Amino acid sequence: MTTTPGEPGRQVDTQSLAARMSQVALAFVIAVLSVVLLVTTHRVRLALGGVDLPAGLLFGTAFQVTACVFLYAATGSRLPLVVLGSLWGLLAMPFLGRGVGGGVLFPAVIGDQVQLSGWIVQGIGVLLPFAMALVITALRRRPGPRPSRRSR
């Protein structure tokens, strides 16, 4: 149980089996949405003022960061972030390999041409949730005054 910020007397269950299962279910739904959005938009480019911006990758990064922040804020646990990062690669596997729609994950090659956007979208989908979980862990463990815990 953890104390909810701003409400000192309220306890939120993050450790029970039911809480963990709901965290995994929420992460699964977000992972499916993330794969669909990132895979379908990662090649979108936007010409703005003579500069060709990778709008799909920027959108994907913004979505993945928002999804990670939402998962942590909604659950108070890092487990959904780890589940999101782990499931992302598995759910994107149908888009592996060579050919039309392929090349999102390694080898990210279409017609003997390396697809850097495929490698980048893999990093966004898989590594970003783990990086955010690592940042949260580091922030939790930093030295400094610790709030006292109230027991019921």
Side-chain angles (χ1 to χ4, degrees):
M1 299 250 198
T2 60
T3 303
T4 304
E7 296 182 27
R10 183 172 170 218
Q11 298 287 321
V12 177
D13 179 19
T14 60
Q15 303 297 322
S16 70
L17 181 61
R20 294 293 187 182
M21 295 299 285
S22 64
Q23 293 168 12
V24 169
L26 183 59
F28 179 79
V29 170
I30 297 294
V32 169
L33 291 173
S34 176
V35 166
V36 169
L37 285 171
L38 270 70
V39 168
T40 57
T41 64
H42 79 279
R43 292 180 186 252
V44 175
R45 302 191 78 68
L46 178 65
L48 189 64
V51 178
D52 199 23
L53 297 173
L57 292 175
L58 295 174
F59 171 73
T61 303
F63 177 83
Q64 198 72 341
V65 168
T66 304
C68 290
V69 169
F70 167 74
L71 285 171
Y72 183 69
T75 63
S77 176
R78 295 163 291 179
L79 175 65
L81 301 176
V82 173
V83 171
L84 173 62
S86 300
L87 283 178
W88 202 94
L90 293 174
L91 293 172
M93 273 189 189
F95 307 103
L96 272 169
R98 307 175 196 288
V100 178
V104 171
L105 299 176
F106 290 111
V109 175
I110 297 177
D112 295 331
Q113 183 177 358
V114 175
Q115 303 295 309
L116 293 178
S117 64
W119 292 7
I120 294 169
V121 81
Q122 178 181 355
I124 293 168
V126 175
L127 299 178
L128 197 104
F130 288 113
M132 298 231 5
L134 184 64
V135 167
I136 291 167
T137 301
L139 290 175
R140 282 184 170 181
R141 293 187 182 183
R142 71 176 176 204
R146 297 189 184 246
S148 63
R149 292 188 181 204
R150 291 185 183 180
S151 60
R152 286 183 141 184

